[in-house]
Amino acid sequence: MIRRLRHNVAVLDAANGLLCGTQIYLSRILRFELMRAAVLAAYIIPALLVFALSFADLASLLALLEIDLARSQGEAIHATLYGQSLASVGLPALQLKLFTQSDPRPKVRVLHYMGTNFGMTGVETFILQLTAAQKRRGLTPSILMDLHNRQDVREIAGGYGIAVHDLPDRNSAARLLPWKLGTAVLRAQRIGAIYRLLKSNDVLHIQAVGLSCLDGFIAAAMAGADVVVTHHGTLSWFAPQRDLLAEITFWIEKRTASTIVMPYKAALAELISEGVPADRSRVIPFCVDEELFAEGRHAASQSGFTLVLVARMVLGKGHLELLWALSKLSPRYPQLRAMFIGDGPTRGQIEGEIDRLGLRQIVECRGKVDHREVPALMRSAQVIVLPTYEPGEMYPVSLLEGMALGLPAIGTRWAGIPDIIDDGVTGVIVEPKDEASLVRAIERFVADPSFLAQSRDGALARIRSRFTATIVADSYADLYREAMSSRTPYLTSHHIRIRPPRCLA
């Protein structure tokens, strides 16, 4: 009896010890399981909902996790988010590990999206030059836009090896619907197109003219992609078009964009005054492709001094003001010439003014020119001129291109032009619509060869220090990587690796 009683006490002591040990073990496991449940609730479950609603491949949700069967005996292994397994005692356990193998994809794949269409403008030129530099710097850029009246974009980008995708337009079915309903159908189609492309891209770079591209923000939210926005218009210029849809778009942009970019400080200050967070905004200028627009030799010419104006022929670009200045200067400087590159709705008016002022012999209108042919034409000039006062002017790329070729610049104190031209060093700044000051600026270059040479050197130095496409591409690459590093790694099904179970000892 006593022996049996002692045996029972020993069994109870052993059971009590086992219970205490089990309690300690379970408390550790419980803490981990609670932590894992919190992670699941915060990240995995919302991701499941998003992909379910978007009809995405649910297998990609497992991309962050590597499934592995492992065996451990006799001790609890404290799990963490980076590579340590779930504890197991004598039984196989499901091991969840953060996938840390190197990603075979290019480091940054960026989709440039422009939702508005005004034809070929400086925005498209900027996108082409930026993407060409990004391609050279090891990124993988692509372009998405409505290609109607923009055939040059696909052709030029294709020469660089850059993919260009066409946006859905109003097809026959959408045209049969009432306008607002057709617009809603078109927006849904565009959201779907952007979303599908973002599945194979890391960053959506929105090139916004005004407060636009709501479909881009929605698609990026669905795909979990980071968004960088570059504005190609100031808020004051866009003010007459600010409606409810624009306000909603701006509200979403301010809260979801990783970084919002303006090309010069005054435009960025305007954005910040409207609620854009200062810590998520940057000044990055527009750029010029230094490989396409490289300095050429300007042979001294005794027969001509050519001014070149590269701009669409629209009201406010300064064509008429330049013609007036030429009419005043040509009697004193018979070698003076001018070349207009570009086309547009006011070409008829400009051609009529050329004839009225008797300038047909010294002014050449080249019309629309393939962008790849522009450098050769500009190299025949001595000075680039843009006396613009167009309300939508932002940061004219044509001035950068001319300066990269060694042409001093004459521009107006308008929009971002004072940020481009260093007055008296790289060119001359005149007041908008001030034809007399434009005459004096042109005459200063024609009459003073030393000032022309000095300004040419200054223009080249300024471009090389701030405005080359390589410098700007690297600045944007830093923004892309900064945005990508602050989020969960991109999930794709090719990351999944399932190891077969190992045999138990």
Side-chain angles (χ1 to χ4, degrees), residues 373-430:
E373 299 174 7
V374 171
L377 293 174
M378 295 176 74
R379 284 190 182 97
S380 66
Q382 280 70 42
V383 175
I384 184 164
V385 185
L386 187 64
T388 180
Y389 50 92
E390 184 195 13
E393 196 72 77
M394 182 73 168
Y395 208 81
V397 173
S398 65
L399 290 178
L400 300 175
E401 293 173 342
M403 291 167 64
L405 294 170
L407 305 184
I410 299 175
T412 45
R413 197 177 306 279
W414 192 260
I417 293 176
D419 186 66
I420 298 173
I421 301 173
D422 188 355
D423 192 19
V425 178
T426 67
V428 178
I429 295 178
V430 300

Short mmCIF file of all heavy atoms in Angstrom, two decimals, residues 373-430:
data_model
loop_
_atom_site.label_atom_id
_atom_site.label_comp_id
_atom_site.label_asym_id
_atom_site.label_seq_id
_atom_site.Cartn_x
_atom_site.Cartn_y
_atom_site.Cartn_z
N GLU A 373 15.22 64.33 -85.83
CA GLU A 373 15.83 65.21 -86.81
C GLU A 373 16.04 66.63 -86.29
O GLU A 373 16.70 67.44 -86.94
CB GLU A 373 14.96 65.26 -88.07
CG GLU A 373 14.78 63.90 -88.75
CD GLU A 373 13.81 63.97 -89.91
OE1 GLU A 373 13.38 65.09 -90.26
OE2 GLU A 373 13.45 62.91 -90.45
N VAL A 374 15.47 66.92 -85.12
CA VAL A 374 15.55 68.28 -84.58
C VAL A 374 16.99 68.70 -84.26
O VAL A 374 17.38 69.84 -84.56
CB VAL A 374 14.64 68.42 -83.34
CG1 VAL A 374 14.87 69.75 -82.64
CG2 VAL A 374 13.18 68.30 -83.75
N PRO A 375 17.83 67.84 -83.66
CA PRO A 375 19.19 68.29 -83.31
C PRO A 375 19.96 68.83 -84.51
O PRO A 375 20.63 69.86 -84.41
CB PRO A 375 19.84 67.04 -82.73
CG PRO A 375 18.71 66.23 -82.20
CD PRO A 375 17.58 66.46 -83.15
N ALA A 376 19.88 68.14 -85.65
CA ALA A 376 20.64 68.59 -86.82
C ALA A 376 20.17 69.96 -87.28
O ALA A 376 20.98 70.81 -87.69
CB ALA A 376 20.51 67.57 -87.95
N LEU A 377 18.86 70.21 -87.23
CA LEU A 377 18.33 71.51 -87.63
C LEU A 377 18.78 72.60 -86.66
O LEU A 377 19.16 73.70 -87.06
CB LEU A 377 16.81 71.46 -87.71
CG LEU A 377 16.22 70.58 -88.82
CD1 LEU A 377 14.71 70.49 -88.68
CD2 LEU A 377 16.60 71.13 -90.19
N MET A 378 18.73 72.29 -85.35
CA MET A 378 19.08 73.29 -84.36
C MET A 378 20.57 73.64 -84.41
O MET A 378 20.96 74.76 -84.07
CB MET A 378 18.68 72.80 -82.96
CG MET A 378 17.18 72.65 -82.77
SD MET A 378 16.74 71.98 -81.15
CE MET A 378 17.05 73.36 -80.09
N ARG A 379 21.39 72.69 -84.83
CA ARG A 379 22.84 72.95 -84.89
C ARG A 379 23.19 74.02 -85.93
O ARG A 379 24.27 74.60 -85.89
CB ARG A 379 23.60 71.67 -85.21
CG ARG A 379 23.71 70.72 -84.01
CD ARG A 379 24.67 69.58 -84.31
NE ARG A 379 24.74 68.65 -83.19
CZ ARG A 379 24.04 67.52 -83.11
NH1 ARG A 379 23.22 67.18 -84.10
NH2 ARG A 379 24.15 66.74 -82.05
N SER A 380 22.26 74.27 -86.87
CA SER A 380 22.54 75.31 -87.87
C SER A 380 22.26 76.71 -87.34
O SER A 380 22.50 77.69 -88.04
CB SER A 380 21.68 75.05 -89.12
OG SER A 380 20.30 75.21 -88.83
N ALA A 381 21.74 76.81 -86.11
CA ALA A 381 21.41 78.11 -85.52
C ALA A 381 22.49 78.56 -84.55
O ALA A 381 23.37 77.78 -84.17
CB ALA A 381 20.05 78.04 -84.82
N GLN A 382 22.40 79.82 -84.17
CA GLN A 382 23.33 80.38 -83.18
C GLN A 382 22.68 80.62 -81.82
O GLN A 382 23.35 80.57 -80.79
CB GLN A 382 23.90 81.72 -83.70
CG GLN A 382 25.03 81.58 -84.69
CD GLN A 382 24.56 81.03 -86.03
OE1 GLN A 382 23.51 81.42 -86.54
NE2 GLN A 382 25.32 80.11 -86.59
N VAL A 383 21.37 80.88 -81.80
CA VAL A 383 20.66 81.19 -80.55
C VAL A 383 19.28 80.54 -80.61
O VAL A 383 18.63 80.53 -81.67
CB VAL A 383 20.50 82.71 -80.34
CG1 VAL A 383 19.65 83.02 -79.11
CG2 VAL A 383 21.87 83.38 -80.23
N ILE A 384 18.80 79.99 -79.48
CA ILE A 384 17.44 79.49 -79.39
C ILE A 384 16.58 80.53 -78.68
O ILE A 384 17.01 81.13 -77.68
CB ILE A 384 17.36 78.13 -78.68
CG1 ILE A 384 15.91 77.63 -78.70
CG2 ILE A 384 17.92 78.18 -77.25
CD1 ILE A 384 15.77 76.15 -78.38
N VAL A 385 15.37 80.74 -79.19
CA VAL A 385 14.49 81.79 -78.68
C VAL A 385 13.13 81.19 -78.35
O VAL A 385 12.60 80.40 -79.13
CB VAL A 385 14.32 82.92 -79.72
CG1 VAL A 385 13.50 84.06 -79.13
CG2 VAL A 385 15.67 83.43 -80.19
N LEU A 386 12.57 81.58 -77.22
CA LEU A 386 11.20 81.19 -76.88
C LEU A 386 10.55 82.33 -76.08
O LEU A 386 10.58 82.34 -74.85
CB LEU A 386 11.17 79.90 -76.06
CG LEU A 386 9.77 79.33 -75.80
CD1 LEU A 386 9.09 78.91 -77.10
CD2 LEU A 386 9.82 78.16 -74.83
N PRO A 387 9.94 83.30 -76.76
CA PRO A 387 9.33 84.44 -76.07
C PRO A 387 7.89 84.14 -75.62
O PRO A 387 6.96 84.87 -75.89
CB PRO A 387 9.37 85.54 -77.12
CG PRO A 387 9.38 84.84 -78.43
CD PRO A 387 9.93 83.47 -78.21
N THR A 388 7.72 83.03 -74.90
CA THR A 388 6.40 82.51 -74.59
C THR A 388 5.72 83.27 -73.45
O THR A 388 6.37 83.80 -72.54
CB THR A 388 6.49 81.02 -74.22
OG1 THR A 388 5.18 80.52 -73.92
CG2 THR A 388 7.38 80.81 -73.00
N TYR A 389 4.40 83.28 -73.52
CA TYR A 389 3.56 83.72 -72.40
C TYR A 389 2.29 82.85 -72.39
O TYR A 389 1.24 83.27 -71.92
CB TYR A 389 3.20 85.21 -72.53
CG TYR A 389 2.66 85.61 -73.89
CD1 TYR A 389 1.29 85.60 -74.14
CD2 TYR A 389 3.52 85.99 -74.91
CE1 TYR A 389 0.79 85.96 -75.39
CE2 TYR A 389 3.03 86.35 -76.15
CZ TYR A 389 1.67 86.33 -76.39
OH TYR A 389 1.17 86.68 -77.62
N GLU A 390 2.42 81.63 -72.91
CA GLU A 390 1.30 80.69 -72.96
C GLU A 390 0.89 80.31 -71.54
O GLU A 390 1.74 79.95 -70.72
CB GLU A 390 1.69 79.44 -73.75
CG GLU A 390 0.53 78.47 -73.92
CD GLU A 390 1.00 77.09 -74.37
OE1 GLU A 390 2.21 76.82 -74.30
OE2 GLU A 390 0.14 76.31 -74.77
N PRO A 391 -0.40 80.35 -71.20
CA PRO A 391 -0.84 80.02 -69.84
C PRO A 391 -0.43 78.63 -69.38
O PRO A 391 -0.14 78.42 -68.21
CB PRO A 391 -2.37 80.15 -69.92
CG PRO A 391 -2.61 81.10 -71.04
CD PRO A 391 -1.52 80.84 -72.04
N GLY A 392 -0.39 77.67 -70.29
CA GLY A 392 -0.04 76.31 -69.89
C GLY A 392 1.44 76.00 -69.91
O GLY A 392 1.83 74.86 -69.67
N GLU A 393 2.27 77.00 -70.18
CA GLU A 393 3.72 76.77 -70.22
C GLU A 393 4.21 76.33 -68.85
O GLU A 393 3.75 76.81 -67.82
CB GLU A 393 4.44 78.04 -70.64
CG GLU A 393 5.88 77.82 -71.07
CD GLU A 393 5.97 77.12 -72.41
OE1 GLU A 393 5.76 77.78 -73.45
OE2 GLU A 393 6.24 75.90 -72.40
N MET A 394 5.17 75.39 -68.86
CA MET A 394 5.65 74.85 -67.59
C MET A 394 7.18 74.95 -67.49
O MET A 394 7.71 75.71 -66.71
CB MET A 394 5.20 73.40 -67.46
CG MET A 394 5.60 72.75 -66.16
SD MET A 394 4.61 73.36 -64.79
CE MET A 394 5.05 72.18 -63.53
N TYR A 395 7.85 74.18 -68.29
CA TYR A 395 9.31 74.06 -68.20
C TYR A 395 9.81 73.62 -69.57
O TYR A 395 10.11 72.45 -69.78
CB TYR A 395 9.65 73.02 -67.13
CG TYR A 395 10.98 73.21 -66.45
CD1 TYR A 395 11.12 74.13 -65.40
CD2 TYR A 395 12.08 72.44 -66.78
CE1 TYR A 395 12.32 74.28 -64.75
CE2 TYR A 395 13.29 72.59 -66.12
CZ TYR A 395 13.40 73.50 -65.11
OH TYR A 395 14.60 73.65 -64.44
N PRO A 396 9.88 74.53 -70.53
CA PRO A 396 10.05 74.14 -71.93
C PRO A 396 11.33 73.36 -72.20
O PRO A 396 12.44 73.86 -72.01
CB PRO A 396 10.04 75.48 -72.67
CG PRO A 396 10.27 76.52 -71.63
CD PRO A 396 9.74 75.98 -70.36
N VAL A 397 11.15 72.14 -72.68
CA VAL A 397 12.27 71.25 -72.97
C VAL A 397 13.08 71.77 -74.14
O VAL A 397 14.29 71.53 -74.22
CB VAL A 397 11.74 69.82 -73.23
CG1 VAL A 397 12.86 68.90 -73.70
CG2 VAL A 397 11.09 69.26 -71.97
N SER A 398 12.44 72.49 -75.07
CA SER A 398 13.18 72.97 -76.24
C SER A 398 14.34 73.88 -75.85
O SER A 398 15.39 73.88 -76.50
CB SER A 398 12.23 73.70 -77.20
OG SER A 398 11.71 74.89 -76.61
N LEU A 399 14.18 74.67 -74.80
CA LEU A 399 15.29 75.52 -74.34
C LEU A 399 16.45 74.66 -73.83
O LEU A 399 17.62 74.95 -74.09
CB LEU A 399 14.81 76.45 -73.23
CG LEU A 399 13.87 77.59 -73.65
CD1 LEU A 399 13.45 78.40 -72.43
CD2 LEU A 399 14.52 78.49 -74.69
N LEU A 400 16.13 73.58 -73.11
CA LEU A 400 17.18 72.68 -72.63
C LEU A 400 17.90 72.03 -73.81
O LEU A 400 19.13 71.89 -73.79
CB LEU A 400 16.56 71.60 -71.73
CG LEU A 400 15.84 72.07 -70.48
CD1 LEU A 400 15.19 70.89 -69.77
CD2 LEU A 400 16.79 72.79 -69.54
N GLU A 401 17.15 71.64 -74.82
CA GLU A 401 17.75 70.98 -75.97
C GLU A 401 18.70 71.93 -76.71
O GLU A 401 19.80 71.54 -77.10
CB GLU A 401 16.65 70.48 -76.90
CG GLU A 401 15.83 69.35 -76.30
CD GLU A 401 14.63 68.97 -77.15
OE1 GLU A 401 14.24 69.78 -78.02
OE2 GLU A 401 14.08 67.87 -76.94
N GLY A 402 18.25 73.16 -76.90
CA GLY A 402 19.12 74.13 -77.57
C GLY A 402 20.38 74.40 -76.78
O GLY A 402 21.49 74.45 -77.34
N MET A 403 20.25 74.57 -75.47
CA MET A 403 21.43 74.84 -74.65
C MET A 403 22.39 73.65 -74.65
O MET A 403 23.60 73.82 -74.58
CB MET A 403 20.98 75.18 -73.23
CG MET A 403 20.27 76.53 -73.13
SD MET A 403 19.41 76.81 -71.55
CE MET A 403 20.78 76.81 -70.41
N ALA A 404 21.85 72.42 -74.71
CA ALA A 404 22.71 71.24 -74.77
C ALA A 404 23.52 71.20 -76.05
O ALA A 404 24.60 70.57 -76.09
CB ALA A 404 21.86 69.98 -74.64
N LEU A 405 23.03 71.86 -77.10
CA LEU A 405 23.75 71.94 -78.36
C LEU A 405 24.72 73.13 -78.41
O LEU A 405 25.35 73.37 -79.44
CB LEU A 405 22.76 72.04 -79.52
CG LEU A 405 21.88 70.81 -79.76
CD1 LEU A 405 20.79 71.13 -80.77
CD2 LEU A 405 22.72 69.64 -80.24
N GLY A 406 24.80 73.87 -77.33
CA GLY A 406 25.67 75.02 -77.28
C GLY A 406 25.03 76.30 -77.77
O GLY A 406 25.74 77.25 -78.13
N LEU A 407 23.69 76.36 -77.75
CA LEU A 407 22.99 77.58 -78.15
C LEU A 407 22.61 78.38 -76.91
O LEU A 407 21.89 77.87 -76.05
CB LEU A 407 21.72 77.24 -78.93
CG LEU A 407 21.84 76.35 -80.16
CD1 LEU A 407 20.48 76.23 -80.85
CD2 LEU A 407 22.88 76.88 -81.13
N PRO A 408 23.05 79.60 -76.78
CA PRO A 408 22.52 80.47 -75.72
C PRO A 408 21.02 80.64 -75.93
O PRO A 408 20.50 80.49 -77.04
CB PRO A 408 23.28 81.78 -75.92
CG PRO A 408 24.46 81.44 -76.75
CD PRO A 408 24.06 80.30 -77.61
N ALA A 409 20.31 80.97 -74.87
CA ALA A 409 18.85 81.00 -74.92
C ALA A 409 18.32 82.39 -74.60
O ALA A 409 18.84 83.09 -73.73
CB ALA A 409 18.26 79.98 -73.94
N ILE A 410 17.24 82.74 -75.31
CA ILE A 410 16.45 83.93 -74.98
C ILE A 410 15.06 83.42 -74.60
O ILE A 410 14.39 82.76 -75.40
CB ILE A 410 16.36 84.91 -76.16
CG1 ILE A 410 17.74 85.42 -76.55
CG2 ILE A 410 15.44 86.08 -75.80
CD1 ILE A 410 17.73 86.30 -77.80
N GLY A 411 14.64 83.72 -73.39
CA GLY A 411 13.33 83.28 -72.93
C GLY A 411 12.69 84.33 -72.05
O GLY A 411 13.35 85.28 -71.61
N THR A 412 11.41 84.16 -71.78
CA THR A 412 10.66 85.13 -70.98
C THR A 412 10.70 84.77 -69.50
O THR A 412 10.96 83.62 -69.12
CB THR A 412 9.21 85.17 -71.45
OG1 THR A 412 8.72 83.84 -71.63
CG2 THR A 412 9.07 85.92 -72.76
N ARG A 413 10.43 85.78 -68.69
CA ARG A 413 10.29 85.55 -67.26
C ARG A 413 8.90 84.95 -67.02
O ARG A 413 7.95 85.63 -66.62
CB ARG A 413 10.45 86.87 -66.50
CG ARG A 413 10.73 86.68 -65.00
CD ARG A 413 10.95 88.02 -64.32
NE ARG A 413 11.99 88.78 -64.98
CZ ARG A 413 13.29 88.60 -64.79
NH1 ARG A 413 13.71 87.67 -63.96
NH2 ARG A 413 14.18 89.35 -65.44
N TRP A 414 8.79 83.66 -67.28
CA TRP A 414 7.49 83.00 -67.33
C TRP A 414 7.64 81.56 -66.88
O TRP A 414 8.58 80.87 -67.29
CB TRP A 414 6.95 83.06 -68.76
CG TRP A 414 5.52 82.68 -68.94
CD1 TRP A 414 5.04 81.48 -69.39
CD2 TRP A 414 4.38 83.50 -68.70
NE1 TRP A 414 3.68 81.51 -69.44
CE2 TRP A 414 3.25 82.74 -69.04
CE3 TRP A 414 4.22 84.81 -68.24
CZ2 TRP A 414 1.94 83.24 -68.91
CZ3 TRP A 414 2.93 85.30 -68.12
CH2 TRP A 414 1.82 84.54 -68.45
N ALA A 415 6.74 81.10 -66.02
CA ALA A 415 6.74 79.72 -65.54
C ALA A 415 8.13 79.34 -65.02
O ALA A 415 8.72 80.08 -64.23
CB ALA A 415 6.26 78.78 -66.65
N GLY A 416 8.68 78.21 -65.46
CA GLY A 416 9.97 77.76 -64.95
C GLY A 416 11.17 78.21 -65.75
O GLY A 416 12.30 77.78 -65.48
N ILE A 417 10.97 79.10 -66.72
CA ILE A 417 12.09 79.52 -67.59
C ILE A 417 13.22 80.19 -66.81
O ILE A 417 14.40 79.92 -67.09
CB ILE A 417 11.57 80.42 -68.73
CG1 ILE A 417 10.68 79.59 -69.66
CG2 ILE A 417 12.71 81.05 -69.51
CD1 ILE A 417 10.02 80.38 -70.77
N PRO A 418 12.95 81.05 -65.82
CA PRO A 418 14.08 81.62 -65.05
C PRO A 418 14.91 80.58 -64.32
O PRO A 418 16.05 80.85 -63.94
CB PRO A 418 13.38 82.57 -64.07
CG PRO A 418 12.10 82.94 -64.75
CD PRO A 418 11.67 81.69 -65.45
N ASP A 419 14.36 79.38 -64.11
CA ASP A 419 15.12 78.31 -63.51
C ASP A 419 16.05 77.64 -64.52
O ASP A 419 17.04 77.01 -64.15
CB ASP A 419 14.17 77.26 -62.91
CG ASP A 419 14.88 76.19 -62.13
OD1 ASP A 419 15.46 76.52 -61.08
OD2 ASP A 419 14.88 75.02 -62.57
N ILE A 420 15.73 77.80 -65.80
CA ILE A 420 16.54 77.21 -66.87
C ILE A 420 17.65 78.16 -67.30
O ILE A 420 18.82 77.76 -67.39
CB ILE A 420 15.65 76.85 -68.08
CG1 ILE A 420 14.60 75.80 -67.68
CG2 ILE A 420 16.48 76.36 -69.24
CD1 ILE A 420 13.57 75.52 -68.76
N ILE A 421 17.30 79.41 -67.56
CA ILE A 421 18.25 80.40 -68.07
C ILE A 421 18.83 81.22 -66.92
O ILE A 421 18.08 81.80 -66.14
CB ILE A 421 17.57 81.34 -69.08
CG1 ILE A 421 16.99 80.55 -70.26
CG2 ILE A 421 18.56 82.39 -69.59
CD1 ILE A 421 16.16 81.40 -71.20
N ASP A 422 20.12 81.22 -66.82
CA ASP A 422 20.82 82.09 -65.88
C ASP A 422 21.08 83.41 -66.62
O ASP A 422 21.96 83.49 -67.47
CB ASP A 422 22.11 81.44 -65.41
CG ASP A 422 22.79 82.22 -64.29
OD1 ASP A 422 22.30 83.31 -63.94
OD2 ASP A 422 23.81 81.72 -63.77
N ASP A 423 20.28 84.43 -66.29
CA ASP A 423 20.29 85.68 -67.05
C ASP A 423 21.69 86.30 -67.09
O ASP A 423 22.32 86.53 -66.05
CB ASP A 423 19.30 86.66 -66.42
CG ASP A 423 19.02 87.86 -67.29
OD1 ASP A 423 19.30 87.79 -68.50
OD2 ASP A 423 18.53 88.89 -66.76
N GLY A 424 22.17 86.56 -68.30
CA GLY A 424 23.49 87.15 -68.49
C GLY A 424 24.62 86.17 -68.49
O GLY A 424 25.76 86.54 -68.79
N VAL A 425 24.34 84.89 -68.16
CA VAL A 425 25.38 83.86 -68.11
C VAL A 425 25.15 82.80 -69.19
O VAL A 425 26.06 82.45 -69.95
CB VAL A 425 25.45 83.20 -66.72
CG1 VAL A 425 26.50 82.08 -66.71
CG2 VAL A 425 25.74 84.24 -65.65
N THR A 426 23.94 82.27 -69.24
CA THR A 426 23.62 81.25 -70.25
C THR A 426 22.68 81.80 -71.32
O THR A 426 22.32 81.07 -72.25
CB THR A 426 22.95 80.03 -69.60
OG1 THR A 426 21.66 80.42 -69.09
CG2 THR A 426 23.78 79.50 -68.46
N GLY A 427 22.28 83.03 -71.20
CA GLY A 427 21.36 83.64 -72.14
C GLY A 427 20.78 84.91 -71.56
O GLY A 427 21.35 85.50 -70.63
N VAL A 428 19.61 85.28 -72.07
CA VAL A 428 18.96 86.52 -71.63
C VAL A 428 17.49 86.25 -71.36
O VAL A 428 16.81 85.56 -72.14
CB VAL A 428 19.09 87.62 -72.71
CG1 VAL A 428 18.38 88.90 -72.26
CG2 VAL A 428 20.56 87.91 -73.00
N ILE A 429 17.00 86.79 -70.25
CA ILE A 429 15.58 86.70 -69.91
C ILE A 429 14.93 88.04 -70.21
O ILE A 429 15.44 89.10 -69.81
CB ILE A 429 15.38 86.33 -68.43
CG1 ILE A 429 15.92 84.91 -68.17
CG2 ILE A 429 13.92 86.42 -68.03
CD1 ILE A 429 15.83 84.48 -66.72
N VAL A 430 13.79 88.00 -70.93
CA VAL A 430 13.04 89.22 -71.25
C VAL A 430 11.65 89.10 -70.63
O VAL A 430 11.21 88.02 -70.23
CB VAL A 430 12.93 89.41 -72.77
CG1 VAL A 430 14.30 89.53 -73.40
CG2 VAL A 430 12.16 88.25 -73.43
#
